[in-house]
Amino acid sequence: MKIVALVGSTRNNSYNLRLAQYVQNKYQEQLNVEILNLKEIPFYDQDIEVDPPAAVKELAHKVAEADAVLWVTPEYNYSIPGVLKNAIDWLSRGERVLVGKPSWIMGASMGGLGTVRAQQHLRDILFSPGVSSPLLPGNEVYVGLVHEKIDEEGNLNHEATELFLDVVVNNFVKWMKQQKAASAVK
C-alpha cells in the first residue's frame, strides 16, 4: 500500500518528522511510506493555479498516485501549521487530487494533549467540499510529551505508544482493504 506522508513541520529534526519516519521504518512490510518535502512548495497563488510551479505539480502527482495520505501535524496556536494548509490549498485546486483520497492523521507535541486541536481543524479542512478526503473515525494518533518518547534517531521508547501505533496501523490497513473492495464493487 503506497502512502504519502505530509509533515506539517519543516524543521530538520522535528518530532513530527521523526514520528513519520518511525511509521515509515517500523511498518515498511505493510506500508510503503514516502515522506514528501513541503519546503519547496510556494505560497498558494490563484493567479498561477492553472499552471503551477514544478514543485506543486510533483506534489500533486505523488498524492494522486498514492493510495492514501498520512498527515503528520504539529500544533501551532491551536491549529495546523501554514505549510500544511498551503499544501492542502494547492491540492484542492485544479485536479483536486484529494477528493476521495483516504487520509490518516497523527501528530506529536511536547504538550500533554498532543495535537488534538490541530487535528480537529485538519479534519474540518479535509471534509470541506474541495477536499472531501475520507478518514477512518477514531483512529487518530495524539503523541503528547513526545520529547520523552522518541529519541534523536527516531526510536520510539514508549511501549504503550508503540502498541497503540500497532493497533492504529492495523485498523488503517484493514479499512483501506475495505475501501478498495467497496470501490471494486461499484
Side-chain angles (χ1 to χ4, degrees), residues 4-174:
V4 290
L6 300 178
V7 179
S9 173
T10 58
R11 189 168 63 88
N12 289 333
N13 201 18
S14 84
Y15 289 114
N16 285 278
L17 177 59
R18 287 190 228 165
L19 181 59
Q21 290 167 334
Y22 176 82
V23 170
Q24 181 183 47
N25 294 326
K26 174 148 190 210
Y27 303 104
Q28 61 187 318
E29 291 188 21
Q30 293 169 279
L31 306 170
N32 175 9
V33 178
E34 180 182 4
I35 301 169
L36 303 182
N37 183 353
L38 298 180
K39 282 184 180 185
E40 304 303 318
I41 306 300
F43 289 120
Y44 169 74
D45 182 345
Q46 191 173 13
D47 290 338
I48 59 172
E49 77 177 14
V50 175
D51 188 24
V56 173
K57 289 178 183 177
E58 179 69 13
L59 173 69
H61 173 73
K62 287 185 180 261
V63 170
E65 294 296 313
D67 295 311
V69 177
L70 170 59
W71 304 91
V72 188
T73 185
E75 185 169 296
Y76 295 169
N77 301 312
Y78 294 172
S79 190
I80 65 171
V83 68
L84 211 52
K85 178 65 168 72
N86 185 55
I88 294 168
D89 289 344
W90 278 114
L91 296 169
S92 67
R93 308 295 285 201
E95 296 178 35
R96 295 185 174 187
V97 296
L98 290 173
V99 173
K101 181 75 60 184
S103 283
W104 174 25
I105 303 173
M106 62 177 58
S109 77
M110 293 173 67
L113 293 176
T115 59
V116 67
R117 290 173 281 233
Q119 288 192 38
Q120 181 58 50
H121 285 180
L122 182 54
R123 273 192 294 284
D124 290 345
I125 295 165
L126 293 176
F127 291 144
S128 69
V131 182
S132 301
S133 181
L135 292 163
L136 175 60
N139 210 47
E140 300 86 5
V141 176
Y142 309 109
V143 181
L145 305 174
V146 68
H147 59 290
E148 298 174 4
K149 297 175 182 172
I150 197 164
D151 66 22
E152 292 287 323
E153 289 78 41
N155 300 309
L156 197 55
N157 54 26
H158 191 260
E159 185 177 358
T161 302
E162 288 182 63
L163 294 172
F164 179 70
L165 281 171
D166 288 345
V167 170
V168 166
V169 168
N170 287 330
N171 288 344
F172 185 76
V173 169
K174 182 193 235 181

Side-chain angles (χ1 to χ4, degrees), residues 175-186:
W175 180 67
M176 285 296 295
K177 288 178 181 174
Q178 292 169 344
Q179 295 289 309
K180 282 190 179 218
S183 66
V185 172
K186 290 181 183 179

